[in-house]
Amino acid sequence: MKVQGSMIFTLKNGEKALILLAENKDEQEKLYHHLTIDAYQFKSEISETEPRIDYISSGYRNEKNEVTWNDDYIPVPKWFEKN
């Protein structure tokens, strides 16, 4: 599973989501599952280096170069909650 890129999306409430882009829809689903279950260290590092990021998710670019992503966002722990 490779990450092909990333983008930051601002939600309607002003919170920010980091969208990691996978190669295709199947890889996007695998990446989302990994982010949900196994990526505690990654989410922890995001919370420390990019404290303005509130959520993460995964997406992909379709054949029209449009980005589609899972809008069931995964919360990123806040750095101050970990101390």
Side-chain angles (χ1 to χ4, degrees):
M1 161 178 28
K2 289 184 179 179
V3 174
Q4 302 288 316
S6 64
M7 61 182 250
I8 296 177
F9 181 74
T10 303
L11 306 176
K12 290 181 181 179
N13 62 6
E15 294 179 309
K16 306 254 185 225
L18 173 64
I19 311 299
L20 301 176
L21 301 176
E23 192 171 4
N24 55 45
K25 184 170 177 53
D26 290 339
E27 292 297 310
Q28 179 262 328
E29 290 173 0
K30 289 178 190 175
L31 178 57
Y32 183 83
H33 179 75
H34 179 71
L35 291 171
T36 304
I37 305 299
D38 298 326
Y40 177 79
Q41 181 64 33
F42 175 72
K43 291 183 275 191
S44 180
E45 289 176 16
I46 291 292
S47 73
E48 292 174 12
T49 59
E50 292 295 332
R52 294 171 294 182
I53 299 296
D54 302 294
Y55 302 98
I56 57 173
S57 190
S58 65
Y60 67 99
R61 290 188 186 277
N62 64 21
E63 55 280 343
K64 296 179 182 178
N65 206 31
E66 301 166 329
V67 176
T68 303
W69 66 88
N70 188 326
D71 62 358
D72 189 13
Y73 302 108
I74 303 163
V76 173
K78 297 298 177 197
W79 64 269
F80 52 81
E81 293 173 349
K82 299 185 310 177
N83 293 328

